Amino acid sequence: MRPSPIAASVDFDRDGVQHGFLKLPYSRDDSAWGAVMIPIAVIRNGSGPTVLFTGGNHGDEYEGPIALFDLATTLPAEAVSGRVIIVPALNAPAFAAGRRTSPIDGGNLNRSFPGRPDGSVTEKIADYVQRHLLPLADIVVDIHSGGRTLDFLPFAAIHVLDDAAQQERCRAAMAAFNAPYSLTLVELDAVGMIDSAAEAMGKVFVSTELGGGGGAGAATVAIAKRGVRNILKHAGILAGEVEGGPSVGLDMPDERCLVTSEHAGLLEMCVDLGAEIRAGEVIARIHPIDRTGVPPLDIPAGIDGLLTGRHFPGLVKMGDFLALVAVPKS
Ligand code: ZN
């Protein structure tokens, strides 16, 4: 296959702390020989495992970038046994624009794997991660939040995998991250995700959803900061014990967990994130916005569980994700 056009200004095999860029040539009107510059840090000390941390895979999710810019600035090489690769704003154009997708090509990076070296800017980033970053890593942690359109209970997540031993390694890493909730996740459509790419290579992979709404709060940032250091302790890269308390295990047994809006209108949530709900209980109402005198539509939950995710904006459209009800593990 054609080589990647991306050049790293860091040496992945050198000891010490390096701050640099993944440089992706991008010729355009305002910069004929310009480039997209993706910040990267490599912190390495001797031999040992490699953890790859990525944030900003979607550009409007902030706990990951905050925790990872902070980690890159504060982690001394002497404290490390092994290697930490930190990419806080992986889809850098989307991150700079505060958007989920890239303003350059509309690309959703987490639907673009394995990418193409001769594709769009977003596909070139995916291809570089696929062929150059993921193979270096033993553990991959991709930190997401809900972004502008979703809000979540703060959880770390793994997938159900065919390889039970690999799934158990992922579960142990998810437990070490120690978010307040730990979800075994069923994707609506896993094609093109970094998750599937890393898992197919046999990597230990953990993702998160830490809050949402297109900003970040102190509590969810603290979860992300503690989580990344816990992962390094779990890997044996940092000394010390994993910190935190119990995490509530959650499952998604089937599609009854997910509510998709079949109507448009003004969204009234009747329960908040974390609420215990019963199948059939009204979790939201959708009011028409163009007239008075029409009663709202009641939206029931399909299953007993906890309200784990929700549509964030005040207005909802036909086809929008409306709610996730996950089931606490017994
Ligand atoms: Zn995301």
Side-chain angles (χ1 to χ4, degrees), residues 21-172:
F21 299 95
L22 304 174
K23 179 179 158 188
L24 164 53
Y26 171 49
S27 176
R28 56 200 191 267
D29 271 352
D30 69 335
S31 190
W33 287 16
V36 168
M37 305 292 275
I38 303 168
I40 184 169
V42 179
I43 300 167
R44 187 191 141 128
N45 185 15
S47 58
T50 295
V51 170
L52 169 64
F53 289 119
T54 51
N57 183 335
H58 294 130
D60 62 345
E61 306 172 2
Y62 295 101
E63 280 81 357
I66 292 168
L68 295 180
F69 277 115
D70 184 71
L71 182 70
T73 306
T74 55
L75 186 63
E78 310 81 71
V80 164
S81 299
R83 180 169 57 181
V84 187
I85 302 171
I86 304 168
V87 190
L90 186 58
N91 193 346
F95 181 71
R99 289 173 42 163
R100 180 174 179 82
T101 57
S102 175
I104 295 173
D105 52 27
N108 179 343
L109 180 56
N110 214 27
R111 301 294 183 274
S112 299
F113 282 78
R116 295 168 58 100
D118 56 355
S120 67
V121 164
T122 305
E123 288 170 328
K124 288 171 176 169
I125 296 171
D127 171 68
Y128 185 85
V129 174
Q130 173 87 27
R131 290 195 291 149
H132 295 276
L133 292 185
L134 291 179
L136 298 175
D138 300 291
I139 299 178
V140 180
V141 179
D142 186 38
I143 304 177
H144 290 252
S145 306
R148 287 187 294 185
T149 68
L150 304 173
D151 196 11
F152 290 105
L153 286 180
F155 65 79
I158 61 165
H159 297 103
V160 176
L161 301 177
D162 293 336
D163 181 338
Q166 183 189 6
Q167 184 178 331
E168 173 52 27
R169 291 194 297 275
C170 295
R171 190 209 57 75

Side-chain angles (χ1 to χ4, degrees), residues 196-250:
S196 315
E199 289 159 358
M201 290 182 202
K203 307 300 181 185
V204 171
F205 182 86
V206 176
S207 68
T208 72
E209 297 289 356
L210 302 175
T220 46
V221 167
I223 292 164
K225 287 183 174 182
R226 184 185 68 194
V228 295
R229 288 179 185 269
N230 276 346
I231 288 286
L232 295 178
K233 292 171 183 172
H234 175 72
I237 292 176
L238 272 182
E241 297 294 313
V242 167
E243 293 174 17
S247 178
V248 177
L250 297 171

Side-chain angles (χ1 to χ4, degrees), residues 248-251 327-330:
V248 177
L250 297 171
D251 272 324
V327 179
K329 286 182 194 289
S330 48

